[in-house]
Amino acid sequence: MKVSGYQLFWLISISSMIVFSYLPIRLAAEESRQDCWISILLGGLIMMAATWIMLRVCMQNKDKTLINFVKDLLGTVLGKIVVVVYFLLWFMQMNIIAKGTVEFQNLVMLHNTPMNLILLCLLFLVAYAVYRGGITAISRCAEIIGPIFVFMLFAQLFLNPHDMDMKRILPIYADSGWFHILKGTLYSFNYMIDPSIILMLFFFAENKQTASRAILWGTAVSMLWGVLTTLVLLFVVGPNMASQLVTPVYSLTKYVSILNFVQNIDAFFIPLWLFGAFIKLSVCLFILSYGLSEWTGFKNWKLIACLTTFIWLMFVIYSTHHIRMSYTLKNFFLIGYFYPFVYIVIPLILWMIGSLRQHRKASDII
């Protein structure tokens, strides 16, 4: 299974934009109000830096998957423990996105349909795509959907100029101060862009150098879209409503009305958004299943994908009805320790160890 740089660009762009469209804007707006666009910009820069660090790690271990090079750098026991942390991260993301997608479908399309039935159909589609085609099928879907998806999400930002009032972001900094801006960044950046998926996907890249550039460009496009979306949302609805909207990006489409003729573009947005969620969930299920296969030594990763999907289904149903598990987004342990550890600390340690080993090898040759 191989993925081209072009396909990787769309995989990263779609995955990041889908993650961006769920939580970070609302979490940032709750803390930094009209300055939430600064929080989003700072968070995006942090995740760009995290992506660059992870790419350095991947380039040092071009021919190895995450499981193999972590065991090689940290030892078998410690390496397996560290990899489990990434498995938990991907599983948590799958849970958040699946639950959000099902609730969104139930809200805007399938009002009288049981949510468990919608969830079952969604997970079956994701599991079928992973089982039948793996990352090859997913990347080809992203290659087709990606250009339309990205164009639509950028285009919708400029379709309601009559509703925009740039004064809604004023005064800049004065009301919030750096404490609230940085607090908004801390809450939101963890849910923006997910660079950890490249630790598994990079192994499948055909050309590693081209793949690195594609991943960086995909991340940059997603970050640019996130900042623009936050600004446009503030221009249109203001900070008070932005902090309360469950799906802020979808809400923007409801305001579009050009000469009372171009309206209801959410009819185009909804299927594209569901396609994007399908791509993101499929990528996460594939890398989790393939990683578990290497971690356990059980070669049939497709069977693991099926078992993982069943556990995933049970967990989403359980967490949906468990009130305490529904309020973990601002959990201090997650935002203060877990996410920074996974996105920044572990990649930095792996990069440093890999750099030291390369330096020693170069010294031995000399």
Side-chain angles (χ1 to χ4, degrees):
M1 292 183 288
K2 290 295 180 182
V3 181
S4 67
Y6 181 73
Q7 291 171 332
L8 266 176
F9 171 81
W10 294 118
L11 282 173
I12 298 300
S13 298
I14 294 172
S15 297
S16 300
M17 284 177 155
I18 284 296
V19 174
F20 227 127
S21 64
Y22 275 91
L23 297 169
I25 298 175
R26 177 167 60 87
L27 293 175
E30 287 176 356
E31 291 298 329
S32 48
R33 314 304 293 175
Q34 70 267 21
D35 293 318
C36 63
W37 67 274
I38 304 177
S39 298
I40 294 295
L41 177 61
L42 292 175
L45 293 174
I46 292 172
M47 296 312 275
M48 276 291 292
T51 302
W52 186 83
I53 293 170
M54 289 186 185
L55 280 174
R56 296 303 94 201
V57 175
C58 292
M59 289 297 288
Q60 289 175 345
N61 305 273
K62 296 179 182 179
D63 302 320
K64 298 176 183 177
T65 60
L66 170 68
I67 290 80
N68 290 329
F69 73 68
V70 170
K71 286 197 296 184
D72 184 45
L73 293 173
L74 301 178
T76 302
V77 177
L78 183 58
K80 283 199 168 189
I81 294 172
V82 168
V83 169
V84 169
V85 176
Y86 284 101
F87 291 162
L88 290 173
L89 172 68
W90 297 332
F91 190 79
M92 286 168 56
Q93 282 193 345
M94 288 160 60
N95 179 50
I96 292 171
I97 295 171
K99 188 159 60 172
T101 303
V102 169
E103 290 174 351
F104 176 75
Q105 283 183 289
N106 185 258
L107 178 67
V108 301
M109 290 171 49
L110 308 171
H111 304 290
N112 298 319
T113 306
M115 292 180 63
N116 289 346
L117 180 60
I118 303 173
L119 177 66
L120 185 63
C121 294
L122 174 65
L123 267 56
F124 174 78
L125 181 63
V126 170
Y128 181 78
V130 172
Y131 184 86
R132 293 293 295 176
I135 193 62
T136 304
I138 300 167
S139 60
R140 286 176 180 171
C141 288
E143 191 176 9
I144 296 170
I145 297 167
I148 307 170
F149 178 82
V150 173
F151 173 78
M152 182 66 184
L153 289 188
F154 270 99
Q156 67 156 348
L157 300 179
F158 306 99
L159 292 180
N160 44 8
H162 58 281
D163 288 322
M164 294 186 189
D165 183 0
M166 296 188 181
K167 293 180 181 179
R168 290 190 174 116
I169 67 168
L170 301 177
I172 296 174
Y173 176 74
D175 287 349
S176 304
W178 282 115
F179 176 76
H180 288 287
I181 291 174
L182 293 177
K183 194 175 180 182
T185 301
L186 179 64
Y187 282 145
S188 61
F189 89 92
N190 307 296
Y191 301 103
M192 287 182 190
I193 301 164
D194 178 26
S196 66
I197 61 174
I198 67 177
L199 293 173
M200 279 295 294
L201 288 179
F202 198 80
F203 171 75
F204 300 97
E206 287 179 343
N207 186 311
K208 307 300 183 184
Q209 201 65 41
T210 304
S212 297
R213 290 195 296 269
I215 289 168
L216 284 174
W217 275 110
T219 307
V221 167
S222 306
M223 188 188 83
L224 175 62
W225 176 79
V227 175
L228 288 176
T229 301
T230 307
L231 284 169
V232 171
L233 188 68
L234 290 173
F235 294 157
V236 174
V237 303
N240 292 327
M241 190 176 291
S243 64
Q244 299 173 9
L245 293 173
V246 178
T247 52
V249 181
Y250 169 72
S251 300
L252 278 177
T253 64
K254 304 295 287 184
Y255 284 90
V256 174
S257 177
I258 302 176
L259 301 175
N260 289 324
F261 179 72
V262 179
Q263 295 177 327
N264 299 322
I265 68 164
D266 53 305
F268 298 97
F269 173 79
I270 292 171
L272 284 174
W273 199 63
L274 294 177
F275 274 130
F278 161 73
I279 295 293
K280 173 62 178 177
L281 292 173
S282 299
V283 169
C284 286
L285 179 60
F286 171 77
I287 60 177
L288 179 58
S289 304
Y290 199 91
L292 283 170
S293 173
E294 292 201 324
W295 191 81
T296 58
F298 185 70
K299 299 298 181 183
N300 192 345
W301 63 267
K302 293 185 176 181
L303 178 59
I304 292 177
C306 296
L307 295 174
T308 303
T309 304
F310 177 76
I311 296 170
W312 180 20
L313 173 66
M314 295 297 104
F315 187 83
V316 173
I317 294 173
Y318 172 74
S319 62
T320 301
H321 298 286
H322 198 281
I323 296 176
R324 186 176 297 176
M325 293 187 70
S326 300
Y327 290 90
T328 57
L329 300 178
K330 289 188 177 181
N331 182 282
F332 182 74
F333 172 77
L334 287 178
I335 64 173
Y337 295 98
F338 182 77
Y339 289 126
F341 184 69
V342 170
Y343 289 136
I344 299 171
V345 176
I346 293 178
L348 272 175
I349 293 172
L350 295 176
W351 184 31
M352 289 169 60
I353 294 174
S355 299
L356 287 173
R357 286 195 175 186
Q358 287 183 345
H359 182 69
R360 285 180 182 176
K361 287 180 181 179
S363 300
D364 291 340
I365 293 173
I366 293 174

